[in-house]
Amino acid sequence: PHMRIDLFNQFSDAQAVTATAISTNVIDANHVSNALKDLGVGGEPLYLRIQIDEAFATATSVTFTLESDDNASLSSATTHWSSGVVLIAALTVGAVVATIQIPEAATYQRYVGLRYTIGGSNATAGKVTAFLTGNCPAWKAYATSHVTKTGR
């Protein structure tokens, strides 16, 4: 099966991350109220995928966190998941930082987003794509193999 990406559930689309920042898009889980949300609860699991589109350079590490808050700037956010410190050597083109089922909880606030925390000096390069999806994106592309046929 192919991975489906709903643009309304996309946090970053090749977002340049050279300094600590929140994702380009912060999802408004319910524009009607600031009530806590039951994200990830129900019949279908919800997955978070974070992948690297451009290798990071100069910085020593990045920590990726899934957060929610009562405001879109995530200024007083609650952290629901953290990648922990990911060293820069692991943040190469095509690297997948996370493909995880998001924690099921009734404590998500109205606005949900990602925070990218740069360790060491600011990065001179690095791009991230991150999104929520209902199907587990476990498919992986491999290099084409060239088969040589021998004569019979």
Side-chain angles (χ1 to χ4, degrees):
H2 295 288
M3 183 171 28
R4 293 178 299 244
I5 301 174
D6 177 347
L7 296 180
F8 290 107
N9 289 319
Q10 189 171 45
F11 295 113
S12 299
D13 182 10
Q15 177 180 341
V17 179
T18 55
T20 295
I22 62 170
S23 51
T24 301
N25 301 313
V26 173
I27 297 169
D28 185 346
N30 184 348
H31 67 281
V32 177
S33 74
N34 279 323
L36 298 177
K37 308 298 173 239
D38 293 336
L39 291 182
V41 177
E44 297 292 326
L46 191 58
Y47 296 91
L48 169 64
R49 169 99 169 183
I50 303 172
Q51 58 196 39
I52 306 304
D53 295 316
E54 177 183 77
F56 277 77
T58 310
T60 57
S61 65
V62 180
T63 300
F64 302 83
T65 51
L66 175 66
E67 302 179 359
S68 71
D69 205 339
D70 63 359
N71 64 80
S73 65
L74 303 179
S75 63
S76 58
T78 298
T79 299
H80 300 281
W81 172 84
S82 175
S83 65
V85 173
V86 181
L87 296 177
I88 204 78
L91 299 175
T92 58
V93 173
V96 176
V97 175
T99 301
I100 59 143
Q101 185 173 347
I102 67 166
E104 295 181 7
T107 57
Y108 288 90
Q109 296 179 70
R110 177 176 174 174
Y111 297 97
V112 181
L114 294 179
R115 185 176 310 274
Y116 309 116
T117 304
I118 302 291
S121 60
N122 285 345
T124 54
K127 291 184 180 178
V128 176
T129 291
F131 52 89
L132 296 175
T133 183
N135 63 329
C136 184
W139 178 84
K140 182 176 180 179
Y142 292 96
T144 304
S145 68
H146 294 68
V147 178
T148 304
K149 292 184 177 181
T150 56
R152 289 188 180 186

